[in-house]
Amino acid sequence: MILLAFDTAQGALSAAVRDGKEELASLFEERTRGHAEALMPMVETVLAEAALGFADLDALAVTVGPGTFTGLRVGLAAARGIALSRGLPLVGVTTLEAIAEPVAAEADEIVLASFDARRDEVYMQAFSADGPERTEPLLVALGDVLSRLPLGPLVLSGTGTPLMTDILAASGRPFRTSATRPQPDASAVARMAVRRLGERGAQAFLTPPAPLYIRAPDAKLPGGRDPGEAA
């Protein structure tokens, strides 16, 4: 199986190609704007490095949020377009899952993935060391973070880590920070997607995933419609 994954949802742009066993090619760059213009050239470069074309793909994967409205729409629109044109399954992976996946945690530790959501809020989700979710994806005010955390030592990942560090240090909660990238990486998205396809089969992913909006988007479509209506 050949799978192409990409991410445009937060403050980076990345793409990766993976077969059932290993990564064949990948690119990552930090980027806060211009995802729409840069995505397809990066995808074409990654495919070329893997000596593959779109006709060789068996599946796709893309991040679905939380993230910026524009970034999410760029990635989802591109992924849906490719999937529809080639009849491919499309796996959705959240950005919180993507930054938690590379973290190496001890058995008793909890991985806390978080993004700075501005406005004194964070997007966050807790995971067990071996991967299962401990909480749902949440949008939490900084003053309420401690009350939403499961008990146990924490490993912090993501752009929300500096905010979490201040809160946890003041509370006395045991924690450490991960050295993994604080932005989603398509390499992690691809690994997760391959596992899910193996567990559930391609038929489970023939319906395109919807964007994950935890906070209502600030942007409005013509007529004042919420962007989620057009997802």
Side-chain angles (χ1 to χ4, degrees):
M1 179 179 64
I2 303 297
L3 179 139
L4 167 67
F6 48 84
D7 164 69
T8 61
Q10 286 274 348
L13 173 66
S14 60
V17 182
R18 189 175 185 86
D19 63 15
K21 296 181 180 179
E22 62 184 359
E23 183 172 277
L24 304 179
S26 65
L27 287 172
F28 174 95
E29 65 178 40
E30 294 189 0
R31 176 182 288 268
T32 58
R33 61 183 63 188
H35 294 87
E37 297 80 9
L39 173 59
M40 293 314 296
M42 176 179 280
V43 165
E44 291 168 357
T45 298
V46 167
L47 287 172
E49 288 184 0
L52 297 168
F54 286 103
D56 298 305
L57 298 177
D58 299 305
L60 298 169
V62 68
T63 46
V64 298
T68 67
F69 169 70
T70 301
L72 281 178
R73 303 305 292 194
V74 166
L76 281 166
R80 288 173 175 175
I82 298 169
L84 179 63
S85 67
R86 309 210 67 87
L88 300 176
L90 173 55
V91 181
V93 174
T94 74
T95 52
L96 291 162
E97 291 173 326
I99 60 169
E101 194 271 350
V103 176
E106 300 296 331
D108 64 333
E109 292 181 317
I110 297 164
V111 178
L112 181 61
S114 66
F115 293 112
D116 185 350
R118 311 300 179 185
R119 308 179 192 175
D120 292 325
E121 294 177 317
V122 288
Y123 296 115
M124 71 178 213
Q125 187 171 15
F127 300 86
S128 296
D130 56 352
E133 300 176 358
R134 295 289 297 271
T135 70
E136 296 295 317
L138 302 169
L139 175 64
V140 182
L142 294 181
D144 297 330
V145 164
L146 291 174
S147 67
R148 308 302 294 272
L149 293 176
L151 296 177
L154 300 165
V155 187
L156 309 183
S157 176
T159 63
T161 292
L163 299 172
M164 293 295 190
T165 296
D166 292 341
I167 294 168
L168 294 170
S171 73
R173 283 287 302 269
F175 73 92
R176 63 182 178 89
T177 60
S178 171
T180 53
R181 282 176 171 152
Q183 296 287 350
D185 189 335
S187 293
V189 176
R191 289 192 296 268
M192 297 187 73
V194 167
R195 289 197 294 268
R196 289 177 182 178
L197 285 163
E199 293 165 357
R200 299 173 58 187
Q203 293 295 317
F205 301 99
L206 294 180
T207 300
L212 174 62
Y213 292 126
I214 304 178
R215 172 193 285 159
D218 293 327
K220 292 292 181 181
L221 296 170
R225 292 179 297 138
D226 187 278
E229 297 175 21

